[in-house]
Amino acid sequence: MAEKIVIIGSGPAGHTAAIYAARANLNPVMFEGFMAGGIAAGGQLTTTTEVENFPGFPDGIDGTKLTDLFREQSKKYGTTIHTQTVTKVDFSKRPFKIYCDDEVTEAEAVIIATGATAKRMNIQGEHDYWQRGISACAVCDGALPIFRNKDLAVIGGGDSAVEEASHLTKFGSKVYLIHRRDKLRASQIMQDRALNNPKIEMVWNTVVSEAKGGAGGLQSLVLENTVDGSKKELAVGGLFYAIGHKPNTDIFTEFLELDETGYIITKPGTTYTSVEGVFAAGDVQDKTYRQAITAAGSGCMAALEAERWLESQH
Ligand code: FAD
Ligand code: NDP
């Protein structure tokens, strides 16, 4: 017999959807993933330390601890959680089919909450200083004490890079915006904001090849000029990647409408996808806000919309 609701993904969006669906007696089944996209079940928050902007935790909370609490709450209200990665779906007819290798589960409605992965550069030293000076989210981590009054660097030339560099000027003493070309990709208004900010210094035609530091964390970067190949070292206390995200949507491309960068397109103001009965929540359909609380909010919307849609089918 088909499940009423299957939730694919286990970050704040998936678990909020699960809590709402479970409390509506829909007996949700969640596939939380097993190192899906290289990230532990629980999602992107498992890759960070302090989360200081999720309401309810005035002293901050460890990212993994927060995801453990989400999971506990989902289970408490009756969500069945499978630690498996969904490898294939068939949304061509109802009930929908969800595959974990050869195992198939049928569902009347599906909520997709598979998130997105911030791209990393895998430079030398990245592993040693990840979350000890290197981050992929300035909005999330920029205000942490380790970055206060330090010289910081952002890599990228798009809107995110400019936005993150501007944001970091509130905390750092100076922000280097390091871009591999001599022209930003960011929109003109964002470019103007960066170029006119006295605390932002552009470092053009440059890539970072190595992160160096010590027991206290990141201390400097090795820079390489992309035009003449020259190298130099830049002292910074923080490095933020803003080189784009990859939404986890490979298994849905055949069935759902995606935008040109692979994000699921939802009907504005809702979580409805291009397939009736399939809903999408969180970072997998949001390239603007990308925060735990906005992901959770859209997870709530997806569960309520799925519940109403299921009712309308009987
Ligand atoms: P995700 O958290 O991306 O979770 C989706 C999860 O679904 C995946 O990780 C995986 O486990 C699972 N999954 C994926 N594919 C499959 C599949 N095929 N089958 C089964 N399961 C699958 N936000 C804040 O608000 N505050 C912060 O302080 C903060 N810090 C951050 C620090 C870092 C380093 C990063 C990278 C992000 C941070 N964010 C922060 C952003 C926040 O983590 C994301 O916005 C949020 O986690 C998105 O939630 P989500 O539910 O959409 O998906
Ligand atoms: P983008 O893909 O637009 O930009 C990524 C940037 O990173 C590019 O400048 C790219 O360089 C650079 N880059 C990529 N890979 C590497 C690498 N390996 N080494 C060095 N540099 C690299 O991503 P964004 O996250 O900035 O934006 C995604 C979307 O979200 C865009 O549509 C953007 O407009 C939108 N957005 C809008 C905002 C707003 O309006 N306020 C805020 C944030 C995002 P290159 O240019 O050479 O390719």
Side-chain angles (χ1 to χ4, degrees):
M1 214 174 82
E3 304 293 345
K4 279 202 162 48
I5 290 195
V6 162
I7 297 164
I8 310 174
S10 55
H15 278 298
T16 306
I19 292 161
Y20 273 77
R23 296 185 76 249
N25 291 332
L26 292 170
N27 304 319
V29 171
M30 172 187 280
F31 290 98
E32 67 176 352
F34 181 75
M35 293 308 289
I39 297 182
Q44 293 171 65
L45 291 178
T46 63
T47 67
T48 191
T49 47
E50 279 301 279
V51 177
E52 294 184 327
N53 52 10
F54 199 87
F57 302 95
D59 299 323
I61 178 164
D62 174 79
T64 302
K65 172 78 184 153
L66 183 57
T67 63
D68 288 348
L69 291 172
F70 291 155
R71 193 177 193 278
E72 197 180 314
Q73 198 166 348
S74 293
K75 282 190 76 119
K76 175 178 168 182
Y77 290 106
T79 304
T80 303
I81 301 179
H82 299 298
T83 308
Q84 285 171 291
T85 297
V86 173
T87 50
K88 196 171 88 173
V89 295
D90 183 351
F91 294 160
S92 61
K93 56 179 187 299
R94 300 205 294 257
F96 303 119
K97 288 190 169 63
I98 295 105
Y99 295 85
C100 295
D101 296 321
D102 294 336
E103 265 177 62
V104 60
T105 304
E106 293 189 335
E108 292 178 37
V110 174
I111 295 176
I112 298 171
T114 49
T117 313
K119 290 185 195 158
R120 293 202 199 178
M121 298 199 45
N122 298 315
I123 55 171
Q124 201 180 331
E126 176 180 304
H127 180 73
D128 297 334
Y129 302 108
W130 183 252
Q131 294 298 316
R132 294 179 57 234
I134 306 182
S135 160
C137 185
V139 176
C140 320
D141 297 335
L144 295 175
I146 54 164
F147 298 119
R148 299 266 170 163
N149 304 314
K150 300 242 179 89
D151 285 359
L152 307 173
V154 174
I155 303 179
D159 282 323
S160 295
V162 171
E163 196 165 78
E164 305 225 334
S166 303
H167 179 73
L168 289 171
T169 59
K170 293 185 217 156
F171 315 108
S173 39
K174 177 175 189 163
V175 180
Y176 296 99
L177 182 48
I178 302 171
H179 186 35
R180 61 185 175 184
R181 294 188 290 134
D182 62 355
K183 196 172 181 321
L184 292 171
R185 176 185 292 276
S187 53
Q188 194 58 48
I189 187 167
M190 299 289 277
Q191 293 198 26
D192 294 345
R193 200 173 294 171
L195 300 173
N196 294 329
N197 188 325
K199 284 181 88 176
I200 297 178
E201 181 177 326
M202 292 303 310
V203 184
W204 299 110
N205 296 317
T206 299
V207 291
V208 177
S209 58
E210 187 179 350
K212 291 181 171 181
L218 180 72
Q219 287 169 347
S220 69
L221 303 174
V222 177
L223 307 184
E224 279 184 31
N225 188 293
T226 53
V227 178
D228 61 18
S230 61
K231 286 189 180 187
K232 70 172 185 180
E233 205 160 318
L234 179 73
V236 291
L239 172 65
F240 294 82
Y241 293 153
I243 59 169
H245 284 70
K246 186 186 178 311
N248 300 320
T249 53
D250 290 352
I251 55 172
F252 308 116
T253 49
E254 190 184 338
F255 300 100
L256 297 183
E257 228 178 283
L258 309 177
D259 76 5
E260 67 290 351
T261 45
Y263 285 84
I264 296 175
I265 296 177
T266 47
K267 195 171 145 205
T270 77
T271 61
Y272 283 89
T273 69
S274 55
V275 173
E276 206 186 313
V278 178
F279 303 82
D283 284 15
V284 75
Q285 52 84 60
D286 167 24
K287 63 180 174 195
T288 308
Y289 302 107
R290 298 191 287 226
Q291 296 297 299
I293 194 69
T294 47
S298 67
C300 159
M301 287 167 61
L304 294 178
E305 286 172 345
E307 182 189 355
R308 284 170 200 158
W309 181 80
L310 282 167
E311 272 168 18
S312 75
Q313 301 300 299
H314 294 293

